[in-house]
Amino acid sequence: MKKLITPEDHIFIAGASGMVGSSIFRTLKQSGYGNKDKGGAIYTPSRKDLDLSDHSSVLNWFQEFNPTVVIVAAGKVGGISANATYPADFILENLKIQTNIVEIAWKNKVRRLLFLGSSCIYPKNAKQPLKEEYLLNNSLEPTNEWYAIAKISGIKLCQALRIQHGFDAISLMPTNLYGQGDNYKISESHVLPALIRKFDEATKNNLDSVKCWGTGKPKREFLHVDDLAKACIYVLENWDPSSDKFQLDQNNYPLAFLNVGSGEEVSIKKLAELIANEFGFKGSIIWDTTKPDGTPRKLLNVEKLKKIGWEPTISLNFGIKKTINSYKSELINKTLRY
């Protein structure tokens, strides 16, 4: 089957400096994209070069560089604490960034666009594992509803432009991500990088105990960011929702998005123990039950993505080892987001 993107394409990665964007860039290069000899290019403007929240700046950039493929990996992200503290920032910044990029990409006749959302779009108490059909059928988890609403809006914008204007926009909904280039700032980070930092510092300071949020009982699914990057390239190359080969949603529209995850889950307690073991931490783990747990379970059903031929390859145990090595290297090289 002919691939839907080629090495000749000019690809714009919005958010290329982040964990996801930088992994997508590395994987694109490894896959032969951005080869100048073949006429290809990969654009990775920094925040200094392009303010994605400013409509005029984005419009001017598109008119100058004319990308043919766009990947939307930009946005404001964070854990429970950050979402609870800055709800207005999370909804405003994400809505501005994604609306500017998607609308201008459509008007500038971009051939393919990939929007990346988040598994937090699903209702708090939805049946597990989470199917794409469960979107909007109940209330969201209150601790991150602002971010979730913004991401749902992005999915629906892409779907609406496909339905009304035939714009080739697709979306992926990743599960919890981790890996090289993650954010380790305690007030902003997600659970896995936060635990890596806590156990690293506890080991270095010979602490007797580490305090962690909640009860440790919630279960989470994790996907290494390099697996997500491979999934992004795979769907850009192969997934055409309008093709007769792919099923329609419950409203008889082409599928708006696909889940992407590992299909496996682990309790936060077990995750903490795995990371503690990697650092050789021998002390006790104390669970601060005054802090929220968030959603009890969040496991994605990834059967639709599997049916079109993609599966992850990095196990959680190997991924944690790989991420800790990256963390230590970034710490030494002073490139850690801390």
Side-chain angles (χ1 to χ4, degrees), residues 299-318:
L299 176 65
L300 295 182
N301 181 307
V302 292
E303 291 306 311
K304 288 183 175 64
L305 186 55
K306 283 186 177 181
K307 281 182 180 178
I308 66 170
W310 184 87
E311 292 190 45
T313 59
I314 301 173
S315 70
L316 181 61
N317 283 349
F318 179 74

Side-chain angles (χ1 to χ4, degrees), residues 207-221:
L207 300 182
D208 295 326
S209 64
V210 168
K211 184 180 286 188
C212 300
W213 274 39
T215 64
K217 293 179 181 179
K219 293 183 177 180
R220 291 290 182 271
E221 175 186 20

